[in-house]
Short mmCIF file of all heavy atoms in Angstrom, two decimals:
data_model
loop_
_atom_site.label_atom_id
_atom_site.label_comp_id
_atom_site.label_asym_id
_atom_site.label_seq_id
_atom_site.Cartn_x
_atom_site.Cartn_y
_atom_site.Cartn_z
N SER A 155 0.02 21.61 -6.50
CA SER A 155 -0.93 20.98 -5.57
C SER A 155 -0.17 20.24 -4.46
O SER A 155 0.96 19.79 -4.65
CB SER A 155 -1.85 20.01 -6.30
OG SER A 155 -1.12 18.93 -6.82
N LEU A 156 -0.82 20.11 -3.32
CA LEU A 156 -0.22 19.43 -2.20
C LEU A 156 -0.30 17.91 -2.40
O LEU A 156 -1.22 17.40 -3.03
CB LEU A 156 -0.94 19.80 -0.90
CG LEU A 156 -0.82 21.26 -0.47
CD1 LEU A 156 -1.67 21.51 0.77
CD2 LEU A 156 0.63 21.62 -0.20
N PHE A 157 0.64 17.23 -1.81
CA PHE A 157 0.68 15.77 -1.85
C PHE A 157 -0.47 15.21 -1.02
O PHE A 157 -0.76 15.70 0.07
CB PHE A 157 2.03 15.30 -1.30
CG PHE A 157 2.09 13.85 -0.98
CD1 PHE A 157 2.08 12.90 -2.00
CD2 PHE A 157 2.16 13.41 0.32
CE1 PHE A 157 2.14 11.56 -1.72
CE2 PHE A 157 2.22 12.07 0.61
CZ PHE A 157 2.21 11.14 -0.41
N VAL A 158 -1.15 14.20 -1.54
CA VAL A 158 -2.21 13.54 -0.78
C VAL A 158 -1.53 12.67 0.28
O VAL A 158 -0.77 11.76 -0.05
CB VAL A 158 -3.10 12.67 -1.69
CG1 VAL A 158 -4.14 11.93 -0.87
CG2 VAL A 158 -3.76 13.51 -2.75
N ASN A 159 -1.81 12.97 1.54
CA ASN A 159 -1.14 12.24 2.61
C ASN A 159 -1.74 10.85 2.82
O ASN A 159 -2.67 10.45 2.13
CB ASN A 159 -1.16 13.06 3.90
CG ASN A 159 -2.56 13.31 4.40
OD1 ASN A 159 -3.52 12.72 3.93
ND2 ASN A 159 -2.68 14.20 5.36
N GLU A 160 -1.21 10.16 3.80
CA GLU A 160 -1.63 8.79 4.07
C GLU A 160 -3.12 8.70 4.38
O GLU A 160 -3.82 7.80 3.90
CB GLU A 160 -0.81 8.27 5.26
CG GLU A 160 -1.10 6.86 5.65
CD GLU A 160 -0.21 6.40 6.79
OE1 GLU A 160 0.77 7.06 7.13
OE2 GLU A 160 -0.54 5.33 7.35
N TYR A 161 -3.64 9.65 5.15
CA TYR A 161 -5.05 9.62 5.51
C TYR A 161 -5.93 9.88 4.29
O TYR A 161 -7.00 9.30 4.15
CB TYR A 161 -5.33 10.63 6.62
CG TYR A 161 -4.51 10.34 7.86
CD1 TYR A 161 -3.43 11.14 8.20
CD2 TYR A 161 -4.79 9.23 8.64
CE1 TYR A 161 -2.66 10.85 9.31
CE2 TYR A 161 -4.03 8.94 9.75
CZ TYR A 161 -2.96 9.75 10.09
OH TYR A 161 -2.20 9.46 11.18
N GLY A 162 -5.47 10.74 3.42
CA GLY A 162 -6.20 10.99 2.18
C GLY A 162 -6.25 9.76 1.30
O GLY A 162 -7.28 9.45 0.69
N MET A 163 -5.12 9.04 1.24
CA MET A 163 -5.09 7.80 0.45
C MET A 163 -6.01 6.76 1.07
O MET A 163 -6.69 6.01 0.36
CB MET A 163 -3.67 7.28 0.32
CG MET A 163 -2.80 8.11 -0.61
SD MET A 163 -1.22 7.35 -0.96
CE MET A 163 -0.33 7.66 0.54
N ASN A 164 -6.03 6.69 2.41
CA ASN A 164 -6.92 5.74 3.08
C ASN A 164 -8.38 6.04 2.76
O ASN A 164 -9.20 5.13 2.61
CB ASN A 164 -6.69 5.74 4.59
CG ASN A 164 -5.36 5.14 4.96
OD1 ASN A 164 -4.72 4.44 4.18
ND2 ASN A 164 -4.91 5.42 6.17
N TYR A 165 -8.71 7.31 2.66
CA TYR A 165 -10.07 7.71 2.31
C TYR A 165 -10.40 7.26 0.88
O TYR A 165 -11.52 6.84 0.59
CB TYR A 165 -10.24 9.22 2.46
CG TYR A 165 -11.64 9.70 2.16
CD1 TYR A 165 -12.67 9.50 3.08
CD2 TYR A 165 -11.93 10.31 0.95
CE1 TYR A 165 -13.95 9.93 2.80
CE2 TYR A 165 -13.22 10.74 0.67
CZ TYR A 165 -14.23 10.54 1.60
OH TYR A 165 -15.49 10.95 1.31
N LEU A 166 -9.42 7.34 -0.02
CA LEU A 166 -9.64 6.93 -1.41
C LEU A 166 -9.84 5.43 -1.56
O LEU A 166 -10.37 4.96 -2.57
CB LEU A 166 -8.46 7.39 -2.27
CG LEU A 166 -8.31 8.89 -2.47
CD1 LEU A 166 -7.00 9.20 -3.17
CD2 LEU A 166 -9.48 9.46 -3.23
N LEU A 167 -9.41 4.66 -0.56
CA LEU A 167 -9.58 3.20 -0.62
C LEU A 167 -11.05 2.80 -0.75
O LEU A 167 -11.38 1.85 -1.45
CB LEU A 167 -9.00 2.54 0.62
CG LEU A 167 -7.50 2.31 0.65
CD1 LEU A 167 -7.08 1.76 2.00
CD2 LEU A 167 -7.07 1.39 -0.47
N LYS A 168 -11.92 3.53 -0.09
CA LYS A 168 -13.35 3.21 -0.15
C LYS A 168 -13.85 3.27 -1.59
O LYS A 168 -14.58 2.39 -2.04
CB LYS A 168 -14.15 4.17 0.72
CG LYS A 168 -13.85 4.05 2.19
CD LYS A 168 -14.58 5.12 2.98
CE LYS A 168 -14.13 5.12 4.43
NZ LYS A 168 -14.75 6.20 5.19
N GLN A 169 -13.45 4.30 -2.29
CA GLN A 169 -13.87 4.45 -3.68
C GLN A 169 -13.27 3.35 -4.56
O GLN A 169 -13.94 2.81 -5.43
CB GLN A 169 -13.47 5.83 -4.21
CG GLN A 169 -13.91 6.09 -5.63
CD GLN A 169 -15.41 6.03 -5.82
OE1 GLN A 169 -16.17 6.39 -4.93
NE2 GLN A 169 -15.85 5.56 -6.95
N LEU A 170 -11.99 3.01 -4.31
CA LEU A 170 -11.37 1.94 -5.09
C LEU A 170 -12.10 0.61 -4.88
O LEU A 170 -12.29 -0.15 -5.83
CB LEU A 170 -9.90 1.78 -4.70
CG LEU A 170 -8.90 2.69 -5.38
CD1 LEU A 170 -7.49 2.42 -4.86
CD2 LEU A 170 -8.93 2.54 -6.88
N LYS A 171 -12.49 0.34 -3.63
CA LYS A 171 -13.19 -0.91 -3.35
C LYS A 171 -14.56 -0.95 -4.03
O LYS A 171 -15.02 -2.02 -4.42
CB LYS A 171 -13.34 -1.11 -1.85
CG LYS A 171 -12.07 -1.55 -1.18
CD LYS A 171 -12.33 -1.83 0.28
CE LYS A 171 -11.10 -2.37 0.96
NZ LYS A 171 -11.36 -2.72 2.35
N ARG A 172 -15.20 0.20 -4.15
CA ARG A 172 -16.49 0.25 -4.86
C ARG A 172 -16.28 0.02 -6.35
O ARG A 172 -17.08 -0.65 -6.99
CB ARG A 172 -17.17 1.60 -4.63
CG ARG A 172 -17.96 1.67 -3.37
CD ARG A 172 -18.81 2.92 -3.31
NE ARG A 172 -18.60 3.51 -1.99
CZ ARG A 172 -18.08 4.69 -1.75
NH1 ARG A 172 -17.74 5.48 -2.73
NH2 ARG A 172 -17.93 5.13 -0.53
N GLU A 173 -15.21 0.58 -6.87
CA GLU A 173 -14.95 0.50 -8.30
C GLU A 173 -14.42 -0.87 -8.73
O GLU A 173 -14.75 -1.37 -9.80
CB GLU A 173 -13.94 1.59 -8.69
CG GLU A 173 -13.84 1.84 -10.16
CD GLU A 173 -13.00 3.06 -10.47
OE1 GLU A 173 -12.89 3.96 -9.62
OE2 GLU A 173 -12.45 3.10 -11.58
#
Side-chain angles (χ1 to χ4, degrees):
S155 65
L156 295 175
F157 166 70
V158 177
N159 62 12
E160 182 178 347
Y161 301 107
M163 288 189 284
N164 290 343
Y165 182 76
L166 292 172
L167 278 175
K168 294 175 188 176
Q169 182 61 33
L170 275 179
K171 284 185 176 183
R172 275 190 228 118
E173 194 171 335

